[in-house]
Amino acid sequence: MSFFKKSTRREFLVAGSSAALAAATASAANSEAETGASAIPAEDAAAAPEVHFEHAAQRTFSGDTATQIAMPIGGIGAGSICMNGYGGLQDFAIHARPATTALPSVWSSNSPQAAFAVLHVKGFEGSPSVTKLVEGPFPPFKIFDQGLQGQGLRRGGFEGFPRFQKCTFEGEYPFGEARLTDSSVPIEVKLTGWNPLIPLDDKNSGIPCVILEYTLRNTSHQPVEYEFSYHLSHLAPGCKPDDPGSANTVIPGKGVFLHNDEEPNAEGFGSASLTVIGEMPRIKGMWLRSPEWTYGSLTALWREVSTGTFTANDGSNGVDVIGRNGGSVLLEGKLAPGEFRTYPIVITWHFPNCYVQAGGKPASDVKGEVGCRSRGAGQPPLWRPYYASVWQDAREVALYVEQNYSSLRARTVRFQEALFASTLPAYVLDAVSANLAILKAPTVLREENGNLWGWEGCFPDNGCCEGSCTHVWNYAQAFPHLYPQLERTLRSLEWIRSMDERGHVNFRGAIPDGPVDHGWHAASDGQLGGIMKLYRDWHISGDTDWLKEMYPLAKRSLDYCISTWDPDHRGGLFEPHHNTYDIEFWGPDGMCTSIYLGALSAMAQMSKAVGQATEAAFYAELAEKCARLMDDQLFNGEYYQQKVEYEGLRDTSFAKSVANVDSTSSELQQLLKREGPRYQYGGGCLSDGVIGAWMARTYGIETPLARKNVRSSLQAIFKNNFKTDLSEHASAQRPGYAMGREPGLLQCSWPHGDKPTLPFIYSDEVWTGIEYQVASHLIQEGFVEEGLTIVKAVRSRYDGRTRNPWNEYECGNWYARAMSSYSLLGSSAGFRYSAVEKTLWFGPQLNVRPFQCFFATASGFGVIGLDGRSLSVQMIEGELPIEKLALTLGGETRLLDWKVTARTNAAAIKAI
């Protein structure tokens, strides 16, 4: 079958491995460049459906498939720097705000950041010396970049240095690996970039640093002498033109400390460092400072490193105080044939004063431009990042990393190896791991008191859509499992700081911590989802005292929802209710009402747990009504839909607005008179149509909804909304998420031809966070092939050429909703653990033996495995006390007594 012929759904289901899919997609993109999107292979790479279940290596990127790669490396809420696909660093988002290179290059007296390595190989036996920037070929697309680089590629200033001829990139987050070779260089270089990512350890997963391990291997038959150097521009120059306030101090035997003389409460006050672990480098404490033009510093630097005349200094030059600044380290060595050596380079940063404010009342005494803001002398900054409470400056961070390097690396490797040893398809592990980058991206901020706060996503130079938006973060499942203590701070954000006395929750919380305005809509899906998340977090933590503390707040929130959207207690959200599509649905719908059902059911169970039997009975009875309404009135025989209503409601605004519309009224008003409120979905098949059932299944909340109807809805969603080829799909919205001949799951379709003239905005788009939600739910319900097909389609779009594999975006980069991909682990393994009940649920949906999968709980993380004879729980860190095992095999669930505690030195094993 030709790539240029549409593949059917079945043909796509049986398409080849993810690697073959990526390769074939790339080939089609080259052949069909004019479409601007890639195609989906079908019979050309066809195999048996079982190919979906293959456990394989992750993708390798090179050439133009590495163009878009930018993997965030940094700490949770501490900022990040991205490692690109050719072995360099970019996007220095280290000042509590995004900073990507997707901006025009303009003249600035303060030059952009630069961080780069240089390898100088000395000549031998008549051969000349050779010097290379330790990066692969610069991507041609970035040279002009549609005019953004119309001034000739004004970036770090090193981009034009001679480079290695070839580079391949692989990533298994949190590690990125670039391999560089060149026919003229007798040394092969492997670069591994990372930052500690250790489940449950929020301190060590929040270090403001990048670790770059350069391994040099002699590929020749002769001994090779070399000089390897690393160079970092001053990352804390201050706010004055030409950097006169920047200062440099040599850290003896280690590297350079970069700091400034800004006021202690200023946003620009801070520091950075460049150090080497385990070596004694030669240190250039300060670059040649060449005022006016920024080129001089690196021109002089290249001359030194390319001629073997590197000159050390102590960085204390008090005469040359203006012009570009930076520091360097150099290491000399000699390698025998086949010998290799690794140099760990560490870049740290520390900016203790934050002036980002969103969601609350703006401070009136803040002066200055972004990046250079401050308050009056002696006044504290608006807030401080969490890491500032742990380390005093970047030098202290560097020392901590050096002292704990072996442990930090070993623990991170153990996590990474356990995750990628899971016997799941490569594209599933790719989806799960790649979106862990969001934890480290500038999407996430963390205050000094430990509280988490997040944007929805990131624009190139600012956050997008503030406030840990409840209806977006509803989908995110990584934090509650990997860092449950941080996730629980979001419940405090919702109910302690963002809820008023009525129970109205502003779905966008404030940073710094504080009250918010309550003059806007509450978000029905976000506020109701919070109730379900409380249930989830309670069972993950096992902390019933915390539940008792939060229960009155949760009750106030839920009672507000009932009185606002279901005032007659009919079991549905009848009144207009705001939601994640940034509009209001009029009348009950499957999406929001299923979350309502989940919230009522969760609250009934939590009420029992805190001894409120009367309240439990009320919520349980209303949940029964809700389920009956959904099954009797919203289920159309195929799927749950929306019943659009605007008459007979408390809210009479729409009915009044169209009451007097006639033939002389505007075209829009006449349309609304005929069709009802705009932005509804009515009889449409919504991909989020049973999201509440997904949440309930994922969190372990029992609801009275008819499971057969949920399963039918999921089948309809896949049948109607998943497209193997979108080239005939018309979208006037934001098609860039999936377009042309790419595959994707549409937000909504209208299989019965009743699409409104003005359907809800975003209805024709494709969002990865919703794709993963549906895929996970399909897998939970046994539709494994369909669920995996969606996951495979998503990751095929993030191919490195068209999109960044480590940046799934929606309204902004590193979009929080995409963390729904973490739920694929639990759905594939049938894994859930309740610390309240000490019960472990397990039932792999993939027929793979032996089967194993990574898991994380509040008390530890490890690997759960199953072979033909036994089930095992092996802890990597922490422990897991178990009293009951709910084991599902062959569609049958058995509840077994199993009183055991799995520990790192004692796996728990049970015969089956």
Side-chain angles (χ1 to χ4, degrees):
M1 171 180 172
S2 168
F3 290 147
F4 313 117
K5 173 185 172 184
K6 283 188 181 180
S7 53
T8 66
R9 183 174 290 100
R10 179 62 184 168
E11 287 167 336
F12 184 81
L13 262 122
V14 301
S17 68
S18 57
L21 175 62
T25 302
S27 298
N30 287 335
S31 301
E32 287 285 280
E34 70 275 9
T35 68
S38 53
I40 294 303
E43 293 175 352
D44 299 81
E50 286 73 21
V51 74
H52 279 296
F53 307 98
E54 290 181 352
H55 181 62
Q58 292 299 311
R59 295 178 287 181
T60 297
F61 304 88
S62 63
D64 59 354
T65 66
T67 298
Q68 301 291 349
I69 289 174
M71 176 188 283
I73 302 176
I76 293 174
S80 63
I81 301 173
C82 286
M83 180 177 174
N84 59 40
Y86 42 96
L89 296 184
Q90 64 181 63
D91 305 340
F92 290 69
I94 57 178
H95 299 278
R97 63 182 183 277
T100 71
T101 54
L103 293 169
S105 60
V106 296
W107 169 256
S108 171
S109 60
N110 290 17
S111 299
Q113 299 95 336
F116 59 97
V118 173
L119 178 65
H120 174 70
V121 178
K122 298 179 180 180
F124 62 93
E125 294 187 353
S127 63
S129 63
V130 59
T131 307
K132 296 283 186 177
L133 175 72
V134 188
E135 295 186 13
F138 194 80
F141 173 77
K142 290 187 175 183
I143 295 174
F144 181 62
D145 202 2
Q146 297 182 306
L148 291 178
Q149 301 305 317
Q151 285 197 1
L153 193 62
R154 296 180 57 82
R155 288 298 182 208
F158 59 89
E159 291 81 1
F161 293 163
R163 296 165 169 265
F164 276 69
Q165 293 171 344
K166 296 180 180 179
C167 179
T168 61
F169 186 94
E170 295 180 6
E172 292 188 354
Y173 205 79
F175 293 94
E177 181 181 288
R179 290 182 177 268
L180 301 122
T181 59
D182 192 302
S183 60
S184 67
V185 182
I187 292 178
E188 175 187 79
V189 180
K190 181 181 76 172
L191 165 61
T192 301
W194 63 286
N195 174 286
L197 199 164
I198 305 162
L200 308 181
D201 189 344
D202 55 290
K203 172 189 170 183
N204 285 316
S205 299
I207 303 174
C209 76
V210 167
I211 301 171
L212 304 170
E213 298 168 346
Y214 287 89
T215 299
L216 314 182
R217 186 174 70 88
N218 182 356
T219 58
S220 75
H221 300 292
Q222 302 291 332
V224 174
E225 293 184 68
Y226 63 87
E227 292 180 346
F228 173 81
S229 54
Y230 201 91
H231 313 273
L232 181 68
S233 64
H234 204 300
L235 300 185
C239 294
K240 305 175 185 70
D242 284 324
D243 304 347
S246 63
N248 306 30
T249 302
V250 164
I251 307 174
K254 302 181 187 302
V256 188
F257 176 54
L258 307 169
H259 47 110
N260 63 51
D261 65 359
E262 295 288 330
E263 290 297 320
N265 69 344
E267 189 173 23
F269 176 79
S271 58
S273 77
L274 168 65
T275 56
V276 187
I277 293 177
E279 302 288 342
M280 293 287 290
R282 293 166 58 192
I283 302 168
K284 183 185 289 291
M286 186 172 68
W287 292 348
L288 171 68
R289 304 193 67 175
S290 175
E292 298 181 6
W293 293 94
T294 62
Y295 311 135
S297 298
L298 295 194
T299 300
L301 188 62
W302 178 260
R303 179 173 180 169
E304 289 188 20
V305 296
S306 64
T307 58
T309 58
F310 181 85
T311 303
N313 64 55
D314 62 8
S316 61
N317 185 337
V319 177
D320 302 316
V321 295
I322 60 172
R324 192 172 197 187
N325 200 351
S328 304
V329 292
L330 183 139
L331 299 141
E332 299 177 87
K334 183 176 182 179
L335 294 173
E339 186 182 5
F340 64 88
R341 188 166 186 175
T342 299
Y343 297 113
I345 304 293
V346 180
I347 298 171
T348 68
W349 58 90
H350 190 281
F351 296 95
N353 305 319
C354 295
Y355 285 83
V356 173
Q357 51 184 331
K361 183 178 180 180
S364 60
D365 61 343
V366 174
K367 309 298 181 184
E369 300 296 322
V370 172
C372 297
R373 293 170 287 196
S374 66
R375 305 174 81 179
Q379 294 295 310
L382 293 183
W383 57 280
R384 286 161 51 89
Y386 171 76
Y387 68 75
S389 70
V390 182
W391 300 284
Q392 295 303 307
D393 57 31
R395 179 167 42 191
E396 197 169 289
V397 176
L399 179 61
Y400 181 85
V401 173
E402 179 185 32
Q403 291 173 339
N404 296 277
Y405 172 69
S406 296
S407 171
L408 295 171
R409 194 183 203 288
R411 295 175 68 200
T412 302
V413 167
R414 284 196 292 268
F415 158 69
Q416 181 256 0
E417 289 181 343
L419 176 60
F420 283 91
S422 301
T423 50
L424 303 177
Y427 49 86
V428 172
L429 296 176
D430 187 28
V432 171
S433 64
N435 286 308
L436 296 183
I438 300 168
L439 305 179
K440 303 299 193 93
T443 302
V444 177
L445 299 175
R446 191 179 182 199
E447 297 176 88
E448 187 174 20
N449 59 14
N451 288 340
L452 202 65
W453 189 93
W455 303 99
E456 291 183 23
C458 301
F459 291 146
D461 59 353
N462 198 8
C464 166
C465 308
E466 73 275 2
S468 311
C469 177
T470 58
H471 58 64
V472 169
W473 282 75
N474 252 355
Y475 296 73
Q477 303 299 329
F479 269 116
H481 294 280
L482 295 175
Y483 301 95
Q485 70 276 35
L486 297 187
E487 176 69 25
R488 285 167 58 178
T489 70
L490 295 180
R491 304 293 80 75
S492 298
L493 175 63
E494 290 175 51
W495 292 330
I496 295 177
R497 299 190 296 281
S498 302
M499 183 170 67
D500 66 12
E501 66 282 354
R502 300 170 299 158
H504 174 283
V505 174
N506 185 323
F507 57 88
R508 300 192 185 280
I511 193 168
D513 287 350
V516 292
D517 178 71
H518 291 277
W520 182 244
H521 303 287
S524 60
D525 48 352
Q527 187 155 343
L528 290 165
I531 307 298
M532 300 181 75
K533 288 183 285 190
L534 174 62
Y535 181 94
R536 175 198 65 195
D537 297 346
W538 168 45
H539 275 269
I540 287 175
S541 69
D543 190 344
T544 300
D545 288 339
W546 176 71
L547 173 66
K548 290 177 180 178
E549 177 187 341
M550 302 303 290
Y551 177 83
L553 302 174
K555 182 182 185 305
R556 190 199 311 171
S557 174
L558 180 56
D559 289 350
Y560 173 89
C561 295
I562 295 170
S563 64
T564 302
W565 299 309
D566 185 22
D568 297 321
H569 298 183
R570 290 189 282 169
L573 303 189
F574 286 86
E575 296 293 322
H577 44 286
H578 193 73
N579 56 74
T580 198
Y581 301 118
D582 298 330
I583 47 81
E584 291 71 52
F585 286 149
W586 289 71
D589 66 283
M591 172 188 165
C592 297
T593 302
S594 68
I595 303 176
Y596 182 35
L597 173 59
L600 291 168
S601 301
M603 201 65 179
Q605 295 177 51
M606 290 187 290
S607 296
K608 288 181 182 178
V610 300
Q612 298 295 330
T614 302
E615 293 170 2
F618 168 74
Y619 295 123
E621 180 182 355
L622 192 51
E624 292 284 350
K625 288 184 181 180
C626 188
R628 284 197 298 274
L629 180 140
M630 287 192 66
D631 289 328
D632 295 346
Q633 297 185 41
L634 301 185
F635 187 70
N636 64 11
E638 298 175 75
Y639 54 85
Y640 294 100
Q641 61 178 55
Q642 179 193 14
K643 185 180 179 182
V644 179
E645 294 185 16
Y646 60 89
E647 295 180 337
L649 302 180
R650 268 73 163 174
D651 190 323
T652 60
S653 59
F654 182 81
K656 290 178 178 178
S657 72
V658 297
N660 298 316
V661 171
D662 57 24
S663 60
T664 65
S665 301
S666 71
E667 181 181 1
L668 176 61
Q669 286 298 311
Q670 292 185 57
L671 173 65
L672 297 180
K673 177 81 169 182
R674 290 193 306 271
E675 297 189 8
R678 55 183 152 183
Y679 308 143
Q680 310 303 296
Y681 72 94
C685 181
L686 183 70
S687 288
D688 264 340
V690 284
I691 183 177
W694 169 68
M695 292 176 179
R697 182 75 180 267
T698 302
Y699 305 161
I701 302 169
E702 296 291 334
T703 76
L705 195 63
R707 187 177 176 189
K708 64 181 178 61
N709 292 347
V710 173
R711 289 169 58 84
S712 176
S713 293
L714 286 170
Q715 289 177 301
I717 289 167
F718 183 78
K719 173 186 175 183
N720 294 304
N721 296 3
F722 180 72
K723 308 297 180 184
T724 63
D725 183 331
L726 289 165
S727 58
E728 296 302 317
H729 172 66
S731 174
Q733 296 159 11
R734 297 174 297 182
Y737 306 131
M739 66 184 298
R741 304 193 67 179
E742 295 178 320
L745 184 78
L746 297 174
Q747 306 281 66
C748 194
S749 66
W750 284 264
H752 303 295
D754 52 351
K755 183 176 184 178
T757 303
L758 297 175
F760 72 92
I761 55 177
Y762 316 137
S763 60
D764 289 319
E765 298 180 0
V766 174
W767 296 354
T768 68
I770 291 176
E771 288 179 293
Y772 291 134
Q773 177 266 119
V774 173
S776 172
H777 202 179
L778 282 163
I779 293 169
Q780 287 173 342
E781 290 294 346
F783 304 118
V784 178
E785 202 164 285
E786 291 84 348
L788 294 181
T789 295
I790 294 173
V791 179
K792 186 176 183 181
V794 176
R795 295 309 293 168
S796 76
R797 301 197 305 264
Y798 285 80
D799 61 359
R801 173 189 293 105
T802 306
R803 298 176 186 84
N804 177 3
W806 287 273
N807 178 2
E808 291 192 3
Y809 60 99
E810 193 184 304
C811 183
N813 299 302
W814 298 295
Y815 200 76
R817 198 190 316 265
M819 286 188 283
S820 61
S821 68
Y822 187 86
S823 66
L824 293 167
L825 288 178
S827 62
S828 299
F831 178 90
R832 181 167 57 86
Y833 175 75
S834 168
V836 175
E837 302 171 5
K838 301 292 190 293
T839 299
L840 172 66
W841 285 261
F842 183 61
Q845 293 286 3
L846 277 66
N847 189 25
V848 176
R849 298 294 183 273
F851 176 89
Q852 70 178 50
C853 188
F854 170 83
F855 71 86
T857 69
S859 60
F861 63 94
V863 174
I864 187 166
L866 180 70
D867 58 23
R869 299 183 300 276
S870 63
L871 179 151
S872 64
V873 177
Q874 176 64 62
M875 302 305 294
I876 296 170
E877 291 194 11
E879 63 180 29
L880 190 68
I882 304 169
E883 295 183 1
K884 298 283 186 180
L885 169 66
L887 180 63
T888 301
L889 296 174
E892 178 186 352
T893 300
R894 294 178 292 160
L895 185 61
L896 308 172
D897 287 328
W898 191 22
K899 297 188 184 302
V900 67
T901 297
R903 296 185 172 90
T904 56
N905 60 352
I909 300 175
K910 186 171 182 63
I912 58 172

